[in-house]
Amino acid sequence: MKALSLSIALLALYSNYLCAQDKQDSLEEYISGNKKEFYKLESDKVDASSNVLRDSWISPVMLNYSYGVSEAYDTESITKKTSITIDQPIFQSGGIYFGIKYAEATRLYSQYSVDVAKRKIIKDALSLLIQIKQSEMRIQKQKLLIENAEINLAQKKESYLNGQLDSGFLNSAIIDKNVVIQALYDVETNKERLISKFRVISDLDHGSAILPHLEIIQKDEFMANNLSFKQSQSLSEKNRYFKSTTISKYLPKVSIYGGYNWDRTENFAFQAGSVSGSRATDYVSYGLKASIPLNISTFDDIQSAKVEYLESKIEELDKKKEINALFEQVMQNLESLERKRILSVENTELYGELLAETQELYEAGYKTKYDVELLRNSLEVQKNDIDIYELDRQLELLTLYEMYKNDI
């Protein structure tokens, strides 16, 4: 029974893992293949650079070879030297440990920097896509408003010709119609501009791309999984280990050294043209040495590292306040949007009732077809506004998801 429970738990964890991977993959699908490849290469570069930094305390093995000729009087000497040496620190007053930890912290900070940059470009792509969808809705809304303006103009024209209105009312109706038509042109132009920007950073077709549905994140969850704040924390951690590494640089260091040397010297006589003498030696050297640097800039170097660490801690606290204020602002904006949405819902219900009553009166001969069309269009405008407000809500939530470490 326990084995079965364990199997079910493992299966659930694996399913959650696959789900998270699918979400991450789907999220990255909103950016172009070039962008994805770029950030992958950036991540690989971070790993490579961090590995170099992590292993920087390991000294290289030095291979040396020299060939020299000297001529003096009637002899010529040829000297050949070969050596293999190593000078490896084994104790640096904690410097080796702190150096490795600094490399790990640097890797984490750099990786967060890549993640933040990638999440921003994904956010830009989604934001543009949402705005394109809103533009399409606004175009439909403007067309409905144009229809209403044309109906209003037709009504005013009839009243003017029948002597019921003066020309001022007719002129106002013409101006109103022109205003809504010009607004349509502006919306259409803005939509094309958004599409051009979207094509730069995404390979998706804006017309068929499906938007993800974002939900409100709890504040404690948002703060605990905030990429921007984690980046700030990792910077503080990196600077903390850098401070310790800097201090250890001026403390005692112990190294082992060793080498193999091979020398050969050959002497030639110019007159005889033959070797008059040759000597070859080879030997091994090794030992242990301790050192401590005495540098006039030691205090300033250490003080600079300490100040840099303290500054990063202050920035970390400021970042937490900034993120907290951002979350509160988004929540306030969502409240305002909800009030607008509720108002549009109420107007939709009101226009629905009026349309039904006007339709009955029209069928009875008490209202005109114009009255029915005006109310029908006004009802559709309110429904359109509800959809636009929902996308405004998604844009607000996108501000949070840009910094959210977990996937949608």
Side-chain angles (χ1 to χ4, degrees), residues 340-351:
K340 293 178 181 179
R341 190 193 69 82
I342 291 174
L343 181 59
S344 291
V345 170
E346 292 173 351
N347 289 338
T348 299
E349 294 173 354
L350 177 60
Y351 278 116

Side-chain angles (χ1 to χ4, degrees), residues 92-145:
Q92 290 184 337
S93 300
I96 295 175
Y97 170 78
F98 289 123
I100 294 173
K101 298 299 289 184
Y102 172 68
E104 293 174 353
T106 300
R107 181 199 301 269
L108 187 61
Y109 170 73
S110 300
Q111 192 58 60
Y112 275 133
S113 299
V114 173
D115 291 342
V116 166
K118 182 169 70 173
R119 192 52 86 93
K120 182 182 183 305
I121 199 72
I122 292 174
K123 181 251 187 181
D124 290 343
L126 284 171
S127 177
L128 288 168
L129 189 56
I130 290 173
Q131 291 177 72
I132 291 170
K133 300 293 185 185
Q134 283 185 315
S135 295
E136 293 171 351
M137 293 178 181
R138 290 191 173 102
I139 288 172
Q140 295 302 317
K141 176 181 176 179
Q142 284 305 124
K143 289 179 177 179
L144 291 169
L145 292 175

Side-chain angles (χ1 to χ4, degrees), residues 77-218:
S77 296
I78 297 177
T79 304
K80 303 174 184 177
K81 294 184 178 181
T82 303
S83 65
I84 302 175
T85 60
I86 185 171
D87 189 340
Q88 175 61 52
I90 57 173
F91 174 77
Q92 290 184 337
S93 300
I96 295 175
Y97 170 78
F98 289 123
I100 294 173
K101 298 299 289 184
Y102 172 68
E104 293 174 353
T106 300
R107 181 199 301 269
L108 187 61
Y109 170 73
S110 300
Q111 192 58 60
Y112 275 133
S113 299
V114 173
D115 291 342
V116 166
K118 182 169 70 173
R119 192 52 86 93
K120 182 182 183 305
I121 199 72
I122 292 174
K123 181 251 187 181
D124 290 343
L126 284 171
S127 177
L128 288 168
L129 189 56
I130 290 173
Q131 291 177 72
I132 291 170
K133 300 293 185 185
Q134 283 185 315
S135 295
E136 293 171 351
M137 293 178 181
R138 290 191 173 102
I139 288 172
Q140 295 302 317
K141 176 181 176 179
Q142 284 305 124
K143 289 179 177 179
L144 291 169
L145 292 175
I146 290 172
E147 287 183 18
N148 277 2
E150 290 174 342
I151 293 172
N152 183 53
L153 177 59
Q155 289 176 324
K156 294 292 191 300
K157 184 177 179 180
E158 286 183 6
S159 298
Y160 171 72
L161 294 175
N162 292 331
Q164 297 173 345
L165 290 176
D166 60 36
S167 60
F169 289 97
L170 180 61
N171 188 54
S172 296
I174 294 172
I175 293 173
D176 291 342
K177 177 186 173 183
N178 290 337
V179 168
V180 291
I181 291 175
Q182 290 171 358
L184 173 63
Y185 295 157
D186 291 339
V187 175
E188 289 175 336
T189 301
N190 185 59
K191 177 188 173 184
E192 293 304 317
R193 188 182 299 114
L194 293 169
I195 291 173
S196 296
K197 291 181 179 179
F198 181 73
R199 286 172 177 166
V200 172
I201 59 177
S202 178
D203 295 331
L204 295 178
D205 175 27
H206 70 275
S208 59
I210 300 175
L211 288 172
H213 184 72
L214 309 180
E215 296 292 347
I216 293 178
I217 310 170
Q218 296 301 317

Side-chain angles (χ1 to χ4, degrees), residues 215-226:
E215 296 292 347
I216 293 178
I217 310 170
Q218 296 301 317
K219 185 175 182 180
D220 55 348
E221 185 180 356
F222 175 70
M223 297 300 292
N225 296 283
N226 191 286

Side-chain angles (χ1 to χ4, degrees), residues 288-343:
L288 186 72
K289 66 179 182 179
S291 61
I292 181 171
L294 300 176
N295 195 319
I296 192 173
S297 61
T298 299
F299 176 77
D300 291 333
D301 194 14
I302 293 175
Q303 188 65 17
S304 175
K306 286 182 177 179
V307 169
E308 188 173 1
Y309 168 64
L310 293 174
E311 285 179 343
S312 62
K313 290 300 293 183
I314 293 173
E315 290 176 0
E316 181 182 332
L317 295 175
D318 286 343
K319 178 61 70 172
K320 187 173 184 178
K321 290 182 179 179
E322 177 187 327
I323 293 170
N324 184 73
L326 174 66
F327 185 87
E328 296 297 334
Q329 183 61 58
V330 169
M331 292 301 107
Q332 291 173 11
N333 294 343
L334 290 175
E335 274 187 42
S336 177
L337 287 171
E338 180 61 16
R339 288 196 293 268
K340 293 178 181 179
R341 190 193 69 82
I342 291 174
L343 181 59

